[in-house]
Amino acid sequence: MTQQASFAALQERIAAVNDVLNATSLLTWDSRTMMPAGGAETRGHQIATLTRVARDLLLASETERALNEAERALEGVPADAAERRMVEQTRHAVEHHRSVPASLIQERASLRTVAQSAWIEARSKSEFSIYEPHLAKTVELSRAYADCIGWSEHPYDAMVSIYEPGETAASLKGLFSKLRDGLLPILAAARSRPRPRSDFLFRDFPDEGQRAFGLSLAEKLGYDLQRGRLDTTVHPFEVSFTRNDVRITTRYNRNYLPASMFGTAHEVGHGLYEQGVDPAYTRTTLATDLVGLYAVGGTSFGAHESQSRLWENHIVRSRTFWERHFPDLQRHFPDQLGDVSAEEFYRAVTRVEPGFIRVEADELTYDFHIMLRVDIECALMDGSLPVSDLPGAWNAAIKRDLDLTVPNDANGVLQDVHWSTGYIGSFPTYTIGNVMGAQVMETLRRQNPSVDSSIEAGDYSVLSEELRTRIWQHGRRFMRDELLERETGRRLDPAPYLTYLHNKYAS
């Protein structure tokens, strides 16, 4: 068999896996946007079945045969060639899934939808006890999964490796230590200033006006609505069914405008990444997380978050953005914002004010939310924190880090969707995204001055093209640190992020 034929046979097998995983994602999207509550149990079975089918396709003898032939055919191909990376990543995923029983994969997938439904009910009633048994089961299955794939120093290492390969509990502890030391003086300087006016953010903003502005914002940033759509959900997310169908969601708080506005900008960043993947990678390993059994083009969760946090904070939460676009927002809400200037609005949406909700946190306190969650996840995984004690531990951590007293479970331990979907180990990727996004922006601004000049003119196409060329188009071809070394000359480095925050909040 020729090299081309060998590789084509493997591609056909992986394309089928990708198709099944996209169908799974479509069922998940529906469960979080449209599905009636009564459908949770059967939807869980449907998703579990498709997840098992995807795994069975990956581990089938036909796939193994095609993989062996492709490996032999590509022996002389450069190590960083796309075809070589596809084969290597497929082999890694096959070995990973061979170490995990099919029954455990299916049980985790089946639990996900049921747990998510219980979390939605618990959050609406602010009663952790409704969700507690489901989280206990999630932790139990996560420990079993970690034992199957292996770990040496901490069981959390195995779970983090699924979302951010190369990171461990120890490496995260080192990163967080540097960030905490750097953030505290910036936070102190910012909080020492008089608080800006922000009363107008809490006026009555009808959902239809928020949606209209959100759609116009998405298009301004470059999100292609011919290949995407905006819907509502309990907890905003983005999901792609190949680069040709990339959907985003948001939520509307009628009495707090920033929630949907910045939430939409965040998800647009994710959407741009997925829409920007090289079309040649569609339905291939380089647009499929074969380890996590998830159809996605981003190379890691942290890399994905780097794009969403970059667009949300460096662009939409900037003074330049509101100097240019505040009149657009006023046109959507003339009565609510007619007495507000662009500068007042910018100061209000960048005010430093510790709060309970992570997704609504200001830039300086956001990472404290992430760090306390990672501490909790580590304790859950090693058994030092029983699930029953979680609300108390959460509330104590919020008091310690943000000096806030949590009023109820909905504003505390029940606010995030992640654990209900089984995503233990994914939280550190948000802070990794903050660090990576700042590192990339620093390099782009230094190497291409037209990035800033075009942003000031309200044109985001230059930035989008730089990011598409440097990050998005590569899909999963390069690891996160490979991308950073290629584009910034060094691996993950918190210095640019701390400099960015200092210039914005402490100067």
Side-chain angles (χ1 to χ4, degrees), residues 391-409:
W394 181 288
N395 297 348
I398 290 289
K399 182 66 177 178
R400 178 198 68 209
D401 290 347
L402 301 177
D403 195 26
L404 297 173
T405 300
V406 178
N408 52 52
D409 289 341

Side-chain angles (χ1 to χ4, degrees), residues 217-355:
L217 170 64
E219 289 190 291
K220 279 187 181 76
L221 300 181
Y223 179 67
D224 183 358
L225 286 168
Q226 295 301 308
R227 295 186 290 140
R229 56 181 289 132
L230 174 66
D231 294 281
T232 56
T233 188
V234 175
H235 188 104
F237 66 98
E238 168 273 330
V239 63
S240 67
F241 320 120
T242 79
R243 69 189 299 278
N244 299 315
D245 185 354
V246 181
R247 307 186 187 188
I248 60 175
T249 63
T250 193
R251 62 184 177 196
Y252 302 113
N253 182 335
R254 188 158 178 158
N255 299 115
Y256 188 62
L257 179 60
S260 70
M261 192 167 59
F262 293 110
T264 299
H266 181 96
E267 301 308 331
V268 163
H270 285 302
L272 291 173
Y273 196 164
E274 292 297 309
Q275 290 184 339
V277 173
D278 188 332
Y281 296 162
T282 300
R283 299 175 71 235
T284 73
T285 304
L286 300 187
T288 315
D289 179 357
L290 292 174
V291 169
L293 292 177
Y294 179 48
V296 63
T299 191
S300 75
F301 276 48
H304 233 304
E305 288 302 327
S306 77
Q307 301 307 287
S308 59
R309 296 295 286 175
L310 185 157
W311 286 96
E312 175 190 356
N313 293 327
H314 292 257
I315 303 303
V316 181
R317 217 181 285 267
S318 70
R319 175 180 275 111
T320 299
F321 185 89
W322 293 111
E323 287 174 346
R324 170 67 57 176
H325 299 298
F326 186 64
D328 298 336
L329 184 61
Q330 282 181 314
R331 279 191 286 274
H332 284 85
F333 299 107
D335 296 333
Q336 296 89 339
L337 298 175
D339 63 337
V340 181
S341 69
E343 179 64 18
E344 286 177 310
F345 189 82
Y346 165 73
R347 288 182 177 275
V349 297
T350 56
R351 72 194 186 284
V352 175
E353 187 175 278

Side-chain angles (χ1 to χ4, degrees), residues 129-258:
S129 60
I130 296 172
Y131 173 54
E132 181 182 340
H134 302 280
L135 179 57
K137 188 65 176 178
T138 298
V139 172
E140 175 189 332
L141 294 180
S142 295
R143 288 177 186 158
Y145 198 93
D147 288 342
C148 287
I149 61 179
W151 54 275
S152 56
E153 295 185 8
H154 197 286
Y156 193 63
D157 297 350
M159 302 310 293
V160 172
S161 72
I162 298 171
Y163 310 104
E164 204 64 25
E167 296 294 346
T168 64
S171 69
L172 291 170
K173 183 177 180 180
L175 173 65
F176 290 168
S177 177
K178 292 178 182 177
L179 285 176
R180 188 180 294 272
D181 289 346
L183 286 169
L184 286 173
I186 302 173
L187 179 59
R191 295 187 71 180
S192 68
R193 297 195 188 94
R195 292 175 59 185
R197 175 192 175 198
S198 62
D199 61 289
F200 48 82
L201 297 178
F202 301 88
R203 292 171 178 171
D204 183 34
F205 296 92
D207 290 1
E208 56 269 24
Q210 293 191 53
R211 174 174 170 78
F213 181 75
L215 285 169
S216 68
L217 170 64
E219 289 190 291
K220 279 187 181 76
L221 300 181
Y223 179 67
D224 183 358
L225 286 168
Q226 295 301 308
R227 295 186 290 140
R229 56 181 289 132
L230 174 66
D231 294 281
T232 56
T233 188
V234 175
H235 188 104
F237 66 98
E238 168 273 330
V239 63
S240 67
F241 320 120
T242 79
R243 69 189 299 278
N244 299 315
D245 185 354
V246 181
R247 307 186 187 188
I248 60 175
T249 63
T250 193
R251 62 184 177 196
Y252 302 113
N253 182 335
R254 188 158 178 158
N255 299 115
Y256 188 62
L257 179 60

